[in-house]
């Protein structure tokens, strides 16, 4: 009799535990949500988080605040979010740096794929290859011909070692068998200044960082790295259109919670993201920064990150770029 009673009590407790998480998820959110950004204010990842925050707050009925936590190429913020409570109140705005970090660092304190519950991709944007107005080539074919006629003579600059900008240049070198040297700078403005001073001949950079100088003629755009033409530089061809099919480098942004966040919360957050990304005002804002909205399922974002890690790992190894501790 006592055993049967204990079994009934245990069964009731187990059943209560099973419904506890869905019930909590149904109440989510009941307080403010933080979106953590691993970089300073004003950068692409910060901008992506802020254009998401306001409409997401309107849809979910709770404040959504952006917290900048820069450091170690975004890994400080990623580690903090990976270890945050699994309750849907702390999210990470990821970028392509999230996929490059495991390539550039020998060890990380978190797994960039398995320690996160992906919510949705947010937006994608390509880079643009720019040179000076007097460079003796106006298209990608001419640029490749000039480099091949002068092996070892030309340099390309980037915002630093291990950046997407460097990897874009290394991928071009590898796919087109070009002999050019990478010159790292500390920031995007420094790299662009070096280009205009002719210390380097080419720079790969985010479109929003150089679009003004391209439009005024101070820089010459050769091609964009995305699969589609960029909305703010519609006359500039893609690499594929310019004669390098298969070349693509995408700057992307995506939202994620810590692994273990209840599925019901992730599903509701994903639904809210798809709703806000369909708003005309959000689409217009994203296009203005030279990007495109790009919603996705959680699984699609997870697969994208895993694919990016494999891609850049191969590029790093072929380029001989040393990893950091």
């Amino acid at each position: 009799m006592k055993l049967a009673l204990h079994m009934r009590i245990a069964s009731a407790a187990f059943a209560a535990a099973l419904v506890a998480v869905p019930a909590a998820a149904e109440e989510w959110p009941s307080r403010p949500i933080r979106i953590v950004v691993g970089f300073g204010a004003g950068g692409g990842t910060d901008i992506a988080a802020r254009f998401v925050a306001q409409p997401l707050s309107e849809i979910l009925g709770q404040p959504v605040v952006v917290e900048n936590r820069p450091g170690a190429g975004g890994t400080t913020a990623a580690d903090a979010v990976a270890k945050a409570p699994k309750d849907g109140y702390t999210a990470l705005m990821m970028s392509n740096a999230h996929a490059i970090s495991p390539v550039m660092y020998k060890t990380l304190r978190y797994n960039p794929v398995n320690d996160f519950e992906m919510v949705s991709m947010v937006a994608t944007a390509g880079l643009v290859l720019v040179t000076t107005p007097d460079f003796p080539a106006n298209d990608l074919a001419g640029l490749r011909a000039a480099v091949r006629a002068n092996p070892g003579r030309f340099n390309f600059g980037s915002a630093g070692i291990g950046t997407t900008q460097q990897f874009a240049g290394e991928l071009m070198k590898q796919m087109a068998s070009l002999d050019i040297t990478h010159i790292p700078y500390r920031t995007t403005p420094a790299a662009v200044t070096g280009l205009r001073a002719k210390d380097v001949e080419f720079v790969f950079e985010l479109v929003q960082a150089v679009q003004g100088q391209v439009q005024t003629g101070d820089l010459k755009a050769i091609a964009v790295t995305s699969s589609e033409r960029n909305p703010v530089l519609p006359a500039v061809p893609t690499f594929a259109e310019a004669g390098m099919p298969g070349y693509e480098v995408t700057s992307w942004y995506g939202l994620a919670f810590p692994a273990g966040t209840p599925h019901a919360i992730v599903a509701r957050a994903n639904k809210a993201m798809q709703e806000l990304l369909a708003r005309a005002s959000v689409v217009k804002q994203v296009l203005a920064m030279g990007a495109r909205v790009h919603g996705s399922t959680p699984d699609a974002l997870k697969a994208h990150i895993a694919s990016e890690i494999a891609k850049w790992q191969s590029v790093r190894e072929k380029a001989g770029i040393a990893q950091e501790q």
Side-chain angles (χ1 to χ4, degrees):
M1 180 69 74
K2 289 184 178 180
L3 178 60
L5 177 60
H6 287 315
M7 289 181 67
R8 286 197 296 272
I9 293 172
S11 296
F14 181 67
L18 286 177
V19 300
V21 170
E26 288 175 5
E27 296 169 1
W28 180 88
S30 59
R31 53 188 173 86
I33 300 166
R34 289 186 305 146
I35 298 179
V36 181
V37 174
F39 303 91
T45 312
D46 177 71
I47 292 171
R50 293 183 189 279
F51 76 64
V52 161
Q54 182 56 41
L56 192 60
S57 174
E58 295 170 2
I59 293 168
L60 294 176
Q62 289 291 336
V64 178
V65 297
V66 176
E67 176 185 321
N68 296 93
R69 192 178 294 191
T75 62
T76 300
D79 183 56
V81 173
K83 295 175 172 58
K86 310 173 192 305
D87 54 11
Y89 293 99
T90 304
L92 177 68
M93 181 58 72
M94 297 173 165
S95 69
N96 37 311
H98 189 78
I100 290 179
S101 293
V103 173
M104 287 302 300
Y105 289 91
K106 290 183 178 179
T107 58
L108 290 176
R109 292 177 293 181
Y110 59 91
N111 184 295
V113 176
N114 297 331
D115 284 347
F116 297 89
E117 295 290 348
M118 308 304 171
V119 175
S120 174
M121 190 87 83
V122 174
T124 59
L127 282 66
V128 59
L129 171 59
V130 291
T131 185
T132 53
D134 59 351
F135 185 78
N138 294 318
D139 55 26
L140 188 59
L143 183 147
R144 291 162 65 182
V147 171
R148 286 173 177 155
N150 300 275
R153 174 185 168 188
F154 296 118
N155 303 316
F156 79 96
S158 80
I161 295 174
T163 59
T164 304
Q165 293 92 324
Q166 180 192 5
F167 276 95
E170 299 293 351
L171 183 60
M172 182 181 75
K173 284 176 60 177
Q174 293 171 14
M175 290 185 63
S177 300
L178 301 179
D179 183 3
I180 54 178
T181 302
H182 173 236
I183 305 297
Y185 291 84
R186 293 183 63 85
T187 64
T188 286
V192 174
T193 298
L195 174 63
R196 296 190 62 175
K198 300 185 179 179
D199 295 326
V200 294
E201 283 73 31
F202 324 117
V203 166
F204 283 86
E205 194 45 75
L206 291 170
V207 171
Q208 62 263 37
V210 295
Q211 69 181 81
Q213 295 177 76
V214 170
Q215 290 165 345
T216 60
D218 293 318
L219 293 176
K220 179 164 55 179
I222 299 297
V224 294
T225 67
S226 50
S227 60
E228 299 177 278
R229 293 197 179 197
N230 193 280
V232 299
L233 296 175
V236 181
T238 67
F239 265 72
E241 291 173 329
M244 280 188 64
Y247 180 97
E248 182 179 355
V249 178
T250 303
S251 177
W252 56 269
Y253 307 98
L255 193 69
F257 290 127
T261 300
H263 174 74
I265 291 177
V266 176
R268 186 172 180 202
N270 178 271
K271 182 179 179 181
M273 288 297 300
Q274 307 320 309
E275 181 180 336
L276 79 88
L277 292 175
R279 290 186 175 185
S281 58
V282 173
V283 172
K284 182 178 180 180
Q285 187 176 1
V286 174
L287 287 172
M289 61 179 283
R292 285 184 168 85
V293 296
H294 189 128
S296 76
T297 65
D299 286 345
L301 176 55
K302 185 173 184 177
H304 176 75
I305 294 172
S307 175
E308 287 280 282
I309 292 171
K311 175 180 179 176
W312 297 127
Q313 180 67 24
S314 175
V315 171
R316 184 196 67 78
E317 290 174 353
K318 291 178 181 177
I321 303 171
Q323 289 180 300
E324 299 180 37
Q325 295 296 332

